[in-house]
Amino acid sequence: MEELASRSGTAGTAAGTRTGVYRNNALGRLKRDKWLYVLLLPGVLYFIIFKYVPMWGILIAFQNYQPFAGFWRSEWVGFEHFQLFFQNPDFFKLLRNTLILSLYNLLFYFPVPIVLALLLNEVRLAIFKRTVQTLIYVPHFISMVIVASLTYVLLTTEGGLVNELIVKYGGEKIDFLASPDWFRPLIILQLIWKESGFGTILFLAALAGVDAEQYEAAIMDGASRWRQLWHITLPGIRSTIVILLILRMGDILENGFEQIYLMTNALNREVADVFDTYVYFMGITQGAFSYSTAVGLFKAVVGVVLIVASNWLAKKFGQSGLY
């Protein structure tokens, strides 16, 4: 018994010593890197104030929220708003439109920044490379209102450049802006033009981290540029592609309110209505705050589930994933 007590005492002393060492090391690192933590503070405060504190607002998804009554005095209705949403005849139309746009996004927009980055990586003339990079970055900083206005000027049937060219070469005018068949292609083309250049930044950074010695060894073995691309370059940025794809899966029900809203009109609304615009119309124009919050919470939960599932699937195939 005495020996057991002695061992327990020794173990407790050792554990206490380790805890003290860890605490001292943590305090030492905090003191040593204090200015780095000071620089970190604005970002932390931003997320706390603008991301985490507003999450209390999801409470109204389970209430019949009345602004004059506030959060705590409004009537609690549980999942009533979710039931109304799922039973709404527009639910499947909204889901279909949202998923089709997201599928187009994955198929046509997502690969474009990768292809651009690979092409730019092969350019050896530095001046030309920087010029092209600048030109394709610029649209990212243009407001979506300006993009929609440019689209209107180019495609309108009343003097639009594209339709004038079609007529000049013997064709008939096409009402791009009002046609439901053209709505989704226009949205994806706008997205590609505006964001694909800026999206190359991460892939170019990943390409810069690929070991140059692998290329040298491949050249010595007689590998062509295509073989180098397939066996060295793409595997080198595969983890970046997978991570961005996982994050994109979390936004599968997010199509961007501003762009969709600006391009929607009475003639293409049947294919243009998505969850983002539905939340706006129900919450802002009709004042159904609790109902629109329930719709937004549904989107968020689906996004989290898809991120977790995509991350699990990526790990099953041997990728690192997000965590």
Side-chain angles (χ1 to χ4, degrees):
M1 294 293 293
E2 293 180 358
E3 182 179 355
L4 180 60
S6 175
R7 289 180 180 178
S8 300
T10 303
T13 303
T17 302
R18 286 195 297 271
T19 302
V21 170
Y22 294 152
R23 185 182 297 112
N24 291 334
N25 288 340
L27 291 174
R29 288 195 298 269
L30 181 62
K31 184 177 180 180
R32 183 190 62 197
D33 301 328
K34 58 183 179 182
W35 295 115
L36 291 178
Y37 290 105
V38 170
L39 291 173
L40 181 66
L41 187 60
V44 173
L45 290 176
Y46 167 79
F47 277 96
I48 291 175
I49 295 172
F50 296 104
K51 301 295 182 180
Y52 288 99
V53 173
M55 287 178 67
W56 286 103
I58 67 174
L59 288 175
I60 69 175
F62 306 96
Q63 298 175 325
N64 185 17
Y65 177 71
Q66 300 296 329
F68 62 85
F71 283 115
W72 306 115
R73 289 186 293 175
S74 295
E75 179 188 2
W76 290 86
V77 296
F79 291 93
E80 180 180 324
H81 297 299
F82 295 92
Q83 293 174 356
L84 290 174
F85 176 54
F86 295 140
Q87 294 170 1
N88 192 317
D90 290 332
F91 172 75
F92 288 104
K93 181 187 76 172
L94 296 169
L95 183 64
R96 182 186 69 248
N97 292 342
T98 301
L99 290 179
I100 290 175
L101 270 177
S102 295
L103 180 62
Y104 281 15
N105 188 309
L106 284 174
L107 291 177
F108 300 110
Y109 165 70
F110 185 79
V112 174
I114 302 173
V115 174
L116 283 175
L118 293 173
L119 292 174
L120 288 172
N121 190 58
E122 295 298 320
V123 176
R124 294 294 175 259
L125 187 59
I127 296 177
F128 178 75
K129 183 177 181 178
R130 286 196 297 267
T131 302
V132 172
Q133 283 179 295
T134 302
L135 291 175
I136 64 176
Y137 289 169
V138 168
H140 171 76
F141 302 99
I142 298 176
S143 168
M144 186 54 72
V145 176
I146 304 300
V147 175
S149 300
L150 290 173
T151 304
Y152 178 82
V153 170
L154 290 172
L155 300 180
T156 181
T157 55
E158 303 299 327
L161 177 61
V162 174
N163 273 307
E164 291 298 322
L165 290 174
I166 291 174
V167 171
K168 181 179 179 180
Y169 289 101
E172 296 183 358
K173 290 184 178 182
I174 301 174
D175 197 354
F176 295 100
L177 300 175
S179 172
D181 295 332
W182 278 99
F183 176 79
R184 290 166 182 146
L186 287 179
I187 292 295
I188 300 303
L189 288 173
Q190 285 179 341
L191 190 63
I192 290 174
W193 179 78
K194 187 176 187 297
E195 300 295 345
S196 58
F198 195 78
T200 61
I201 292 176
L202 288 175
F203 296 109
L204 286 172
L207 287 168
V210 179
D211 189 2
E213 293 183 357
Q214 296 185 37
Y215 292 107
E216 295 174 2
I219 293 172
M220 294 294 292
D221 290 338
S224 63
R225 299 296 287 269
W226 174 254
R227 288 290 183 181
Q228 294 175 41
L229 173 67
W230 187 255
H231 294 289
I232 300 175
T233 307
L234 285 177
I237 64 172
R238 183 168 52 198
S239 60
T240 303
I241 296 174
V242 170
I243 289 174
L244 291 178
L245 182 59
I246 292 172
L247 293 174
R248 181 66 192 89
M249 292 300 297
D251 289 333
I252 202 74
L253 297 184
E254 296 278 348
N255 297 127
F257 164 75
E258 186 179 12
Q259 183 187 16
I260 305 297
Y261 180 76
L262 291 170
M263 296 299 296
T264 299
N265 55 58
L267 297 176
N268 63 18
R269 189 173 298 278
E270 185 64 24
V271 298
D273 280 339
V274 294
F275 288 126
D276 295 300
T277 55
Y278 185 70
V279 168
Y280 168 77
F281 286 119
M282 295 302 297
I284 302 300
T285 64
Q286 299 189 24
F289 301 115
S290 293
Y291 182 81
S292 59
T293 302
V295 178
L297 183 57
F298 162 73
K299 289 168 46 187
V301 170
V302 171
V304 171
V305 171
L306 287 175
I307 284 180
V308 173
S310 301
N311 189 76
W312 175 83
L313 191 62
K315 287 192 170 184
K316 290 291 287 185
F317 281 94
Q319 301 300 315
S320 57
L322 287 174
Y323 55 88

